[in-house]
Structures are given as C-alpha cells and as structure tokens.
Amino acid sequence: MLQVPTAPTPLLGSVVCTPAVAAIGDSICVEVKAPNGQSYDNNESGNICINGVPGSRQYLVWNRAGKKSITVTAGKRGAIEKLKAEVQINAPADGKQPPLLTVRAAPHNPTAMILTVQNAPERRTQGTPRPRIEIKPRTPAVPAGPILPRKTPMSAQTIAAHDAASHPILSRTAPPRAATNAGGGATAAVYNWQLGAVALGSSHPTLQHDFAAQLNPNRPHTVFHVQVTVQQPGGAPRVIQRSVSVANPYFLARQRGVLQPPVESSDFSAQFIDGSYRASFVVRNPEAVNVALSSMQLELAYEDGPREFELRPASGCNFVLKSQATTRIDVAIPKAQVPPQAIAFSVHYKGTAPNGLPVRVSAHFDLPQHMGRKLLVNAAAQTLLNNLASNQLVANPTSITLEEVSHLGRYGMLPPLHALTAMDMHVEPPFAVEGQECNPWNLPDHIPDGMFCMPTQEKKWMQMKPRFMNAKKGDLILNPSNGSLISAVLQTVTPPQRYSHSGIMTRNHDEITHSTASEDRLIGFIDGDGARPDVLKYLWPGVVTQTVEHAVDGEDMVDPETGAKHPIAGFATIESKMDLGGVAPEIVPAMVVKPDPLKETLEIRQTLHGIADFAAQQAGKSHYRFYCYTKPAIGLTDKAPASAKWAANTFPTVCSSLLWMSIKQSGVPMEGGMLEQSDLASGAQIVPSTPDGLYVYQSDERIAAGEILYSKIHEMVLESAGWLGNALTDAADDTANQMLNAFASDWCETDAKDSDAWRQTGDANAVSPANLCFFDAPLYGYAEPLIYRPARFEEVTIYKWKKVAQTGTLHGVVHSEGKPAAGVSVQLSQNQFTHTAADGSFTLTGVPVGSVLVTADKQAWHGEASVTVAANKTANVTLDLKPPPHWFRRVTIDGWMATTDYEFAAAAYPHSVGDFYNIAQLGPSSSTHVVKVFDQVADDAMGRLILTLDLLANDVIQVKATLRCYGEGYADGDNYQEGHLAPFTIGPNKGGTWWMFVDGDNYAEAHFTLTNKVDPV
C-alpha cells in the first residue's frame, strides 16, 4: 500500500507586536506564536526568522517614522510559511533625536560585539546637586603620585581618608532609616548594561562584550535582549532595548563533523626563552565531557616565495580540556625547529572526542624578531611610542595597538599619525662589526673568534600590519552579513545564510581579491524615476585587490565617471551600511575556507596559488552584476557594451561567482556531482543540470527573499532622501521594483520600476558566499573562524656585536615573592641559557667579560639585571621575578564632600565643605579588595563616603559607592540614612566623575573622580 507523505507541522500561528505604535528609538517586542497560541521564546526547534534574522522573539527599533512592515518566515525549503505584521513609528514628542543603540562586530573576536549609544547625552564636568550651600572654587587636584598634603581654600577643610580596618562600624547591625531623598550618579551620563545574564556599568557610551560563555553549544545561535539604561545627571533614566543574535561558530563546526573548541585568548607573538620560542593560549571546551588532544603539528610561515609554508611531522602530546572550562596550553618550539627565515608559526592540535568526532585546536604566533628592519618605525615614532609606554597611556607597555594610538590622537594627545611610518629597508652589514646591530636569529656565515651577538638594554618598536593570521594565498574568506542589500537577500533563503561577501587571499595573510559594489554610488544615481539603468546593471568597481588593512578599514576609490570618492571595504569591521532599523543585529564569525591544515601538501597549495593568481589578474576587468546571483555562468560569456561607459568590455561577477569562475578554470572539481550528508543538512541542493560548484535555489525561497529586499530598498531610498523621504514613497517603490527585476532577470531599464515581474521568478542554479563551505577536498572542505590581528607596535630587544677576548662565569639565584623559584628560564643570549634548580640557583659559563644583561622568565613573570663579569672569575647576581606591571592598578580618588546640619538654630557650624584625595593600590599579590572611607562633620551631622574597590579580570576595577548621613557628628550604630550608586566598573586607563546626595534629617553630598592606571610603584 502506497503511503502518502505527511505534511510538515505548521510553525506559525500569529505575530504579536507590543506596542503596535511607538516613537523613533523606542523598542517594539515582536513575538511569534505557535498555531496553539503558545510562545516559542527563542527555544523553537525549527527555523523561524523575523525580518531575516533567526529568533521568534526580538526587540526591534526603528530610526525613521512611518508605517513599517515585519515579515516572519519559517519552515523548510519547499514548505515555507510566511506571516506579515505592521507597526506605526512616530517622531519623538519633543522633536529631539533620541539615543539609539547600534551594534557592530569586534573583528578580533567572533563572539564579541561593540555596543554604542548614538546621540548620547553630552558629557559634563559637574553634576547638578541640590543647591543647599555655596561651594567655592577648588584648587586643582594633585596629580597621581605619593600622597601629599592638600592645599585647600580657606572655606574648606581637608578630609582624611581611612581604610576599612579602622572602621569596624561599617558592618551595620540594623538597617538605616530611610532618607527623605537620596540619589546621585556620574556627573556625566552613566550607562548600565544588561547583556543576557551579565550586568555591567560604564561611564562611556561604548562597550565591548564577549557572549562566548553564554552560548549554548547545542544551538546554532542565541538571541540576547540587550538593555542599556542611560542615566543623565538630574534627568530621568532612558531605557533602550534591542535584541541581538549571536551565531555559535562551535556549533557550526560541529554540524560539519569537527569539534573546534574556541581559543579565548592568545599571545600575539612568541618570545625566545631558554632555547625555545614560547607562547601560550587559552582554549575553552563547551562540551559536557572532557576532550583530549593527543598530537601536535608545527606549521612554519615564510614570506611569499618557494618556502612560504612548511608542515612538520606530528609529535605526541597529552592535553585534557576539562568540560565546560578553560585550559591554558603553553607552547615551546625548540630553536632548531624554527629557521631564521620563518616569520610566524602555527600549532595544530588533534584529538578525538568520546563520541568519535575529530577535535582540532589551532593557535598562531608572530616572530617579530625575525621580520627584519624594514618594519622598524622611524626615530620620531620610536620616541612617541616610548613616551606612551613610560607615561602609562597604554594598556601593555610592550605591545601597543594602533587603536590605542588612534584614540589618543583623536583627543589631541599625539602629533599627526603619519609620523608612525616605517624606516626604509637597508642592508645589514655583511660582516660582524663591534658596536653594530646584529640579528641573533640570522647571523652571517662567518663570525670572527671572540665576537658575540649580545642583547642590550636598548629597545625599539616594530610596526605590525593588520593580517588574517590563519589565511594563506588561495584560501577563501567569508564575511558575515553587514546590513547590505545582498545581506537582505541571503538572510531570507532556506536555511538562512549568514554570509554576504567573500574573497580569495592573493598573498599570505595580508592581501585579498574580491568583487564588490559601492551602494553609496548606486544611491547617488537614484531619483524620482528610479536608478539610472546602466549604473544599476554595471555596478562599480567590480573586482579589486586590496591589502587586508584596506579591505577591513576602508579605502577611498575614485568614481571613474564623477570623480567622487567612495569608501570600499568589503570586509569592514565597522557597520559601513546604513542601519535602517527594524532588524535585530547579528554577530557571525568571519570564516576561512581552506584545505585541512593537517592534510595539506605543497601540490595542493601550488594549485591554490594558481587560482589566486587568476583571480588577482581580473582586477579592473570585471563589473559587479546583481543578475550573477541568479545566473553566475554569464560571467563566462558576457561582455559589457560600449553604452556601459566605464564598464565597457568588462565581464560580470559578484563576489562568489568570481571565486567559482577562478576555481573552475583550474579544472579541479568543486563538488564532483555528489553532495555529502553535511552539505544536505546545511541546505545544499542540486539537479542533474546543475553545473559543478553551483546549487539550486527554489522559486519560493527566492520570492520570500525578494519581499524582504523590497522592504529594505524602500527604506534605503527614503533614508537617503532625508527630510524629503516621506514625499518620495512612489520613488522608493519604483526603485525597489527596478532593483528586484535586476536580480531576477537582468531587467534594469526604467520601465522595470513599474513591474513586479520579479514575483514570477523560477528556480536558479547559483552560488553564494555560504555555499563555498560545500566545496570539497583536497582544495577546500575545511572551515574555521577567521583570526584577524589588528595593527600594533611590538617592542623588541636590540642586539649588538661585542668583541670579547676572555670569558668568566655567572652564578645567581632567582626569587619569586621572596622565595627561591625553580624551573625559571635564565638567558644571556640566544645561545647562552639555562634554567634554575630547585633552590632557584643557576650557573652560566663562557660569559663574555664586561657588562652583560641577564633575564629571567617564567610564564608572564619577568626579571632582569645588569652585571659585570671579570675574566676567569665568577660574578654573582640575584634576580627577582615580578608579575606584569599592568596587573597592579592605582586608583586615584579626587573629590569633595559637603554636610549640612538642619538644626540651624542649635548648630554652631551648620555648613561644612572639605576636599579629599587618596590613592588605592590593588594587585594580585597585595590586595584585590580595598575600602576607602571619607568623613565630613558639620556640627552634629556627619557625612561619610564609602568606596569599595575590587580588582577584576583584565585590569578592570569594580566600584561600589555608599553615602551615609549620620545624625551625630560621629559614626554611632544605625543612626544614619544612606544612598547607593549601582555598582559600576572602570576599565584600564579609564576614569569618570560621579556625585551622590542623601537628604533626610540632615544633608550630605559628595563629588568624586576616579581613574584606573598602572601602579608605577
């Protein structure tokens, strides 16, 4: 008996929007319910998307008034369900631009986001206290340093600081009496963030947060409802809420049959210590069971050339990654395994999970000391970077990011940034010359007797350019959706695709070729009759080759027709597209598609080089064509006519079709006519007529994508029209129809704006960026999150030739926290090193006479000393290991307090004002918890400010502030009223100003500024 297949169970019942009418900037909760009326609350097993973003419950915000449509899709290919809803967005009642929350990815972390409150309140330097008393001008605060007596105005007294130990009464025995009024906050706006289960506070409108620990390893994405409360001094709090969807790269890899535990943190560079190149990284195991790593392979990286990549044989190891915990892995590669020409290396660990799935963990490290003098910055930049480090203006005094330098430049604290230019490369002296610089990792073949290449106390800075650390020439790069028109299309197919752009590496790590289009240029050619047909059909610039720096941060290119400049940044870390509202932001990791690192051969890489070279040769020969998302094969035959102006005689591409064509010309199969089970699970489909490397997209999903794109184009046109937008509704409709017909059938003429023929589209054989993950081994078939390293400056030790006729012996002891330290690496030069015994002692023989620099290192702890060695004698030295300087923080507390006794008639001195200044020193070996107390007496009343400071991870200080007003002139029991500030944090090298008041039986008020710096003591 023939069994009739059952229809899929419907997922969509209704869409509820609360409220249905809101103002610009206000949140609307959009909730999808099942046919039985039950809420999914983002725990659905099927695929439900709101405006193309996965998640059945989302808080959406719009930044433009008008009637807004919401499209909900669900189901599988061939059985797509759709629902629509509408909401009304009105202009703010006060006519002012409200604060808006924007979200962008953090490029160096695939699960982190950067949240910014736009239109944030202006920062103030003083709060708005209740005008009880007249506060006279204060003298400037003493700069950070040893605590000194304060000189204060005659009308005020200095408040002494007390530590918690001298105040046992801080542990109250009964609740305080309620104050008639209490409050306060920062004298600039304070931002209290609720990020899923994590609460944070800041005094700045921008915050970066990593959601990795909150991601469910069994779900492809997690929706977080992000809420920020903006508390402006003297004003009512403003609450902004918006949902964000965070993709889980670990789940995506497991779906492809590989466990890739994420690397949470890693050293950027390896250091040469004790005869080995050493570095470390921290990996997190999201699984509920332990996972073991049993082997490691070393991969060496060189400059482009015959030996640009080298994979060494595997060696055994034994690391156990504890379940749902982090594990630190220390890497030590012997000097003999790292040739002096290598500029970086990778370590690839392999294991097997209890369920049989392979486990892969990789980490990547630079070798700055191998990279040559061409990366040294010039003398002016050397001085500037030294000043930044010595003045504690940067987080790490030995590695300064370009972001830190740019930030200081924006505040006028630096000369123009063009001063940070690299020196011209020059040739090293061919022979050893005493006093000249030498490279201990690349010595000349002949070294005279008695000549040593020795480290000095001199340091210099090298400029490290932005790079994709795990991407080599021929690898494919997938960039996540960024709000572009293509994003809207690909987010709505089945299943939704999270990548909207792609490119191919045409050099190792630092150069990429891709096909792209400038939406800014296209918008500039839209008027009341839609888009100019030739501009829409032959989109500019087409295929370009860019450095990674330009592809990420943007590069201005000149319009060949108008001469205008347009930024081109197909792999931008900043949200370069307009945030039109009505869509929950998504954080998706950029990916690199490559050969399996542990199965790659020289022949495979050479084939990939040929593909990359072909792609690079197409720069300037191709235009970007929307129709290639329907029929990419036209790129093999079509050429633009003379009427295409700048694009005449160029062939059509989009980002993914360029890569498909480049691989196709190599003759290597991409799919070979057989889809793997993992491909099918990810939505891949083919029919007998589908060309190799292309995939079938069915008509229903293409129409659903078109409807989402229609709404987005409509909003884009209105947004670009500014205040005329509402009058151009017809133009927006026309442009949307015209662009959709360009996608569906290559119909771009003016009359296409009056037709919705795109709704009658059929199936298509095409390729998208996400489809590139389907391509098979040996060329591809492996994918992992892209590792982006931003530009930075690394400090390196300078070595010089030293002529020595005689030698001596160096004996010493290394201490850590006052005790002998065993197993410490002690080093004099790259060829003279040892490690300490159980009693902390060490001995080095054959040491050149004269002054030498000896260093000691154990993990992050470091010590060094200069010692003079005499011929044929033993010199003694003691070294003390010290933790990294940035672990020790100095919080400067600078403020004033006022107290008023309301018993004016009985009080001899009813008003009292005093300054206070103090520092708190926090560190892992001293105290991570400090309490500072400041009192101000006014006759029979006393104000007391209690600041509790706690050292958190990553050099962050958490602050809890309490202000009490006692009914007597001293602290006695529970005879007080108090107010609190919500706990807040101060990041490294940050600060802010806050104020508080308590108004009850008496009145107390405090203003204070806190800064968090490295403690130089």
Side-chain angles (χ1 to χ4, degrees):
M1 180 177 178
L2 181 63
Q3 185 175 4
V4 179
T6 58
T9 303
L11 296 173
L12 302 184
S14 61
V15 182
V16 179
C17 302
T18 309
V21 179
I24 292 175
D26 289 340
S27 305
I28 292 180
C29 179
V30 180
E31 185 170 17
V32 180
K33 295 193 174 183
N36 63 3
Q38 295 295 313
S39 296
Y40 289 109
D41 200 20
N42 294 321
N43 290 315
E44 60 273 7
S45 57
N47 178 49
I48 297 177
C49 293
I50 299 174
N51 284 348
V53 177
S56 58
R57 184 170 180 263
Q58 302 176 18
Y59 287 89
L60 306 183
V61 177
W62 282 262
N63 63 353
R64 184 174 185 81
K67 191 176 291 293
K68 308 297 179 182
S69 62
I70 298 169
T71 301
V72 175
T73 58
K76 297 181 178 180
R77 180 172 287 161
I80 296 178
E81 302 174 59
K82 288 184 290 186
L83 286 178
K84 282 188 171 290
E86 285 190 341
V87 295
Q88 177 64 42
I89 305 299
N90 297 325
D94 59 6
K96 297 180 180 179
Q97 190 79 330
L100 296 171
L101 181 63
T102 63
V103 180
R104 58 188 174 96
H108 54 280
N109 190 331
T111 55
M113 63 181 64
I114 301 170
L115 304 146
T116 301
V117 178
Q118 290 190 340
N119 310 320
E122 293 184 2
R123 296 184 60 80
R124 302 183 182 182
T125 57
Q126 181 174 321
T128 312
R130 293 167 63 92
R132 291 290 180 184
I133 52 180
E134 178 183 359
I135 307 299
K136 296 185 178 181
R138 304 175 57 244
T139 55
V142 177
I147 302 177
L148 301 175
R150 294 293 305 279
K151 294 181 179 181
T152 59
M154 293 297 294
S155 61
Q157 66 185 58
T158 301
I159 303 174
H162 307 284
D163 292 323
S166 63
H167 286 274
I169 198 170
L170 288 179
S171 299
R172 63 172 182 254
T173 57
R177 292 178 292 121
T180 303
N181 194 5
T187 59
V190 172
Y191 303 85
N192 292 311
W193 307 82
Q194 189 67 45
L195 309 166
V198 176
L200 297 172
S202 70
S203 59
H204 295 270
T206 297
L207 181 78
Q208 180 172 318
H209 181 67
D210 186 0
F211 285 89
Q214 299 184 67
L215 294 177
N216 184 340
N218 299 310
R219 294 188 66 85
H221 66 270
T222 302
V223 176
F224 296 95
H225 305 309
V226 173
Q227 179 178 293
V228 57
T229 302
V230 184
Q231 178 64 67
Q232 194 172 2
R238 174 67 184 260
V239 178
I240 309 172
Q241 191 162 12
R242 191 173 187 186
S243 297
V244 297
S245 176
V246 182
N248 188 350
Y250 180 79
F251 175 91
L252 299 177
R254 189 168 65 177
Q255 193 177 41
R256 295 190 298 270
V258 179
L259 298 188
Q260 293 177 347
V263 173
E264 287 201 337
S265 62
S266 172
D267 291 336
F268 281 7
S269 302
Q271 303 298 321
F272 185 77
I273 300 171
D274 194 19
S276 297
Y277 294 90
R278 298 179 182 272
S280 64
F281 63 95
V282 175
V283 61
R284 181 173 55 86
N285 175 17
E287 295 292 331
V289 296
N290 292 350
V291 171
L293 302 176
S294 57
S295 68
M296 186 273 284
Q297 281 190 264
L298 171 67
E299 179 185 351
L300 298 169
Y302 302 86
E303 295 281 4
D304 281 329
R307 294 184 63 206
E308 62 172 22
F309 128 87
E310 184 178 352
L311 189 65
R312 295 292 177 88
S315 59
C317 67
N318 183 23
F319 291 106
V320 177
L321 308 183
K322 297 293 186 181
S323 66
Q324 299 177 346
T326 58
T327 302
R328 174 187 168 120
I329 295 181
D330 294 316
V331 179
I333 307 299
K335 175 190 173 185
Q337 296 186 27
V338 183
Q341 298 84 6
I343 61 170
F345 69 84
S346 303
V347 284
H348 303 291
Y349 294 86
K350 184 170 68 172
T352 304
N355 61 4
L357 288 180
V359 181
R360 298 292 182 82
V361 176
S362 296
H364 310 267
F365 307 101
D366 285 320
L367 294 169
Q369 58 268 52
H370 285 202
M371 290 187 175
R373 292 182 55 85
K374 66 180 180 180
L375 296 179
L376 288 175
V377 300
N378 60 26
Q382 294 283 351
T383 301
L384 174 62
L385 294 168
N386 286 332
N387 288 338
L388 295 183
S390 61
N391 292 324
Q392 304 169 29
L393 293 174
V394 293
N396 186 341
T398 63
S399 182
I400 300 174
T401 67
L402 184 60
E403 182 181 2
E404 290 177 300
V405 177
S406 301
H407 178 78
L408 294 171
R410 287 193 295 269
Y411 280 85
M413 302 174 68
L414 296 180
L417 294 182
H418 60 70
L420 301 179
T421 55
M423 296 177 60
D424 293 334
M425 181 170 38
H426 67 277
V427 179
E428 294 282 352
F431 301 106
V433 177
E434 186 172 12
Q436 293 292 318
E437 291 184 19
C438 55
N439 183 349
W441 294 274
N442 196 13
L443 297 173
D445 294 333
H446 175 70
I447 301 176
D449 292 340
M451 193 72 80
F452 294 83
C453 184
M454 299 293 294
T456 69
Q457 292 182 308
E458 185 180 353
K459 309 283 187 180
K460 287 190 177 180
W461 293 92
M462 303 181 74
Q463 185 175 4
M464 312 291 286
K465 293 291 186 180
R467 283 164 301 148
F468 294 153
M469 287 300 295
N470 56 338
K472 295 181 294 189
K473 184 176 180 180
D475 293 343
L476 310 180
I477 306 300
L478 309 186
N479 198 54
S481 300
N482 58 1
S484 66
L485 296 177
I486 301 304
S487 301
V489 173
L490 298 175
Q491 286 176 333
T492 319
V493 299
T494 305
Q497 297 186 11
R498 315 265 67 99
Y499 297 95
S500 63
H501 195 61
S502 55
I504 184 168
M505 299 297 294
T506 43
R507 275 176 50 91
N508 290 336
H509 311 306
D510 62 10
E511 184 183 270
I512 190 167
T513 295
H514 57 116
S515 179
T516 187
S518 169
E519 286 188 11
D520 292 339
R521 181 179 191 262
L522 174 59
I523 291 171
F525 285 95
I526 293 175
D527 56 23
D529 290 327
R532 203 177 83 185
D534 66 293
V535 173
L536 175 59
K537 188 167 188 174
Y538 310 108
L539 292 158
W540 174 86
V543 178
V544 296
T545 297
Q546 294 181 292
T547 64
V548 163
E549 181 175 15
H550 286 151
V552 170
D553 295 330
E555 175 184 16
D556 283 342
M557 293 188 178
V558 179
D559 185 329
E561 182 173 342
T562 67
K565 293 182 178 180
H566 297 283
I568 302 299
F571 300 86
T573 60
I574 301 173
E575 183 80 347
S576 59
K577 313 300 180 184
M578 290 182 295
D579 185 356
L580 304 175
V583 177
E586 283 191 279
I587 300 298
V588 180
M591 301 292 287
V592 53
V593 181
K594 58 199 294 187
D596 186 327
L598 301 184
K599 298 179 181 178
E600 184 177 337
T601 64
L602 182 60
E603 291 74 18
I604 291 173
R605 186 54 60 178
Q606 287 175 339
T607 301
L608 292 175
H609 280 197
I611 294 170
D613 289 338
F614 176 85
Q617 292 164 9
Q618 310 315 309
K621 301 177 182 178
S622 171
H623 62 272
Y624 192 94
R625 187 95 147 255
F626 284 146
Y627 187 52
C628 284
Y629 275 109
T630 292
K631 192 175 181 181
I634 64 170
L636 302 173
T637 57
D638 284 20
K639 288 291 181 72
S643 59
K645 297 183 169 57
W646 78 269
N649 206 37
T650 62
F651 65 92
T653 58
V654 291
C655 62
S656 48
S657 73
L658 168 69
L659 307 187
W660 172 73
M661 292 170 58
S662 299
I663 301 170
K664 183 178 178 63
Q665 62 80 36
S666 73
V668 179
M670 288 165 267
E671 271 294 353
M674 177 73 72
L675 294 179
E676 289 73 31
Q677 290 299 308
S678 59
D679 296 344
L680 293 171
S682 298
Q685 285 191 338
I686 59 174
V687 295
S689 60
T690 303
D692 180 41
L694 301 185
Y695 302 90
V696 171
Y697 287 84
Q698 296 183 13
S699 60
D700 59 345
E701 62 182 323
R702 299 186 72 218
I703 293 172
E707 291 173 349
I708 292 290
L709 182 57
Y710 185 95
S711 298
K712 188 170 184 68
I713 296 172
H714 191 279
E715 281 293 311
M716 181 187 74
V717 175
L718 295 183
E719 184 76 15
S720 64
W723 65 274
L724 287 173
N726 291 332
L728 293 178
T729 301
D730 289 341
D733 293 338
D734 291 346
T735 303
N737 275 328
Q738 187 184 17
M739 287 191 184
L740 284 163
N741 282 318
F743 272 98
S745 62
D746 211 23
W747 184 21
C748 302
E749 282 63 37
T750 304
D751 53 351
K753 66 185 178 63
D754 298 319
S755 172
D756 64 354
W758 57 269
R759 296 183 185 274
Q760 282 74 54
T761 186
D763 295 351
N765 291 312
V767 61
S768 69
N771 293 157
L772 302 174
C773 288
F774 299 152
F775 289 179
D776 293 341
L779 292 187
Y780 298 107
Y782 186 87
E784 63 185 18
L786 181 68
I787 299 175
Y788 171 73
R789 291 275 168 81
R792 70 188 193 277
F793 301 92
E794 288 274 349
E795 188 181 54
V796 295
T797 298
I798 297 301
Y799 285 69
K800 291 185 177 180
W801 291 110
K802 185 176 181 179
K803 178 76 172 177
V804 178
Q806 296 176 300
T807 62
T809 300
L810 180 63
H811 177 78
V813 177
V814 179
H815 290 128
S816 177
E817 298 182 291
K819 299 178 181 179
V824 179
S825 298
V826 179
Q827 182 166 313
L828 194 65
S829 70
Q830 66 146 351
N831 294 316
Q832 291 181 289
F833 49 83
T834 185
H835 59 273
T836 58
D839 61 355
S841 65
F842 68 91
T843 301
L844 288 167
T845 59
V847 178
V849 299
S851 179
V852 296
L853 177 70
V854 59
T855 62
D857 295 273
K858 188 171 185 178
Q859 295 183 350
W861 294 60
H862 175 79
E864 63 180 50
S866 291
V867 60
T868 300
V869 178
N872 303 316
K873 293 186 178 180
T874 298
N876 295 293
V877 66
T878 299
L879 295 100
D880 292 310
L881 291 180
K882 296 180 180 179
H886 65 87
W887 284 11
F888 294 87
R889 311 306 300 179
R890 168 177 288 199
V891 178
T892 303
I893 306 167
D894 186 9
W896 59 270
M897 184 164 21
T899 304
T900 300
D901 186 341
Y902 281 161
E903 296 180 356
F904 297 111
Y909 302 99
H911 307 302
S912 177
V913 182
D915 290 346
F916 56 84
Y917 175 83
N918 204 268
I919 62 172
Q921 295 169 297
L922 297 95
S925 62
S926 54
S927 177
T928 62
H929 176 79
V930 174
V931 179
K932 294 291 183 179
V933 181
F934 306 91
D935 293 341
Q936 180 68 22
V937 176
D939 204 77
D940 288 336
M942 185 181 80
R944 167 170 286 176
L945 175 65
I946 306 168
L947 296 177
T948 303
L949 311 172
D950 291 293
L951 177 62
L952 307 181
N954 301 317
D955 306 332
V956 172
I957 303 294
Q958 178 178 270
V959 183
K960 298 177 182 177
T962 299
L963 182 62
R964 294 178 179 174
C965 190
Y966 288 84
E968 303 293 341
Y970 54 88
D972 183 15
D974 61 352
N975 185 25
Y976 62 85
Q977 295 162 318
E978 70 178 24
H980 304 270
L981 295 183
F984 57 92
T985 58
I986 307 174
N989 307 305
K990 303 291 185 181
T993 303
W994 290 261
W995 77 284
M996 307 174 66
F997 74 90
V998 175
D999 192 358
D1001 295 342
N1002 298 294
Y1003 179 79
E1005 174 184 325
H1007 294 238
F1008 52 92
T1009 298
L1010 306 177
T1011 57
N1012 173 13
K1013 297 281 189 177
V1014 174
D1015 190 355
V1017 178

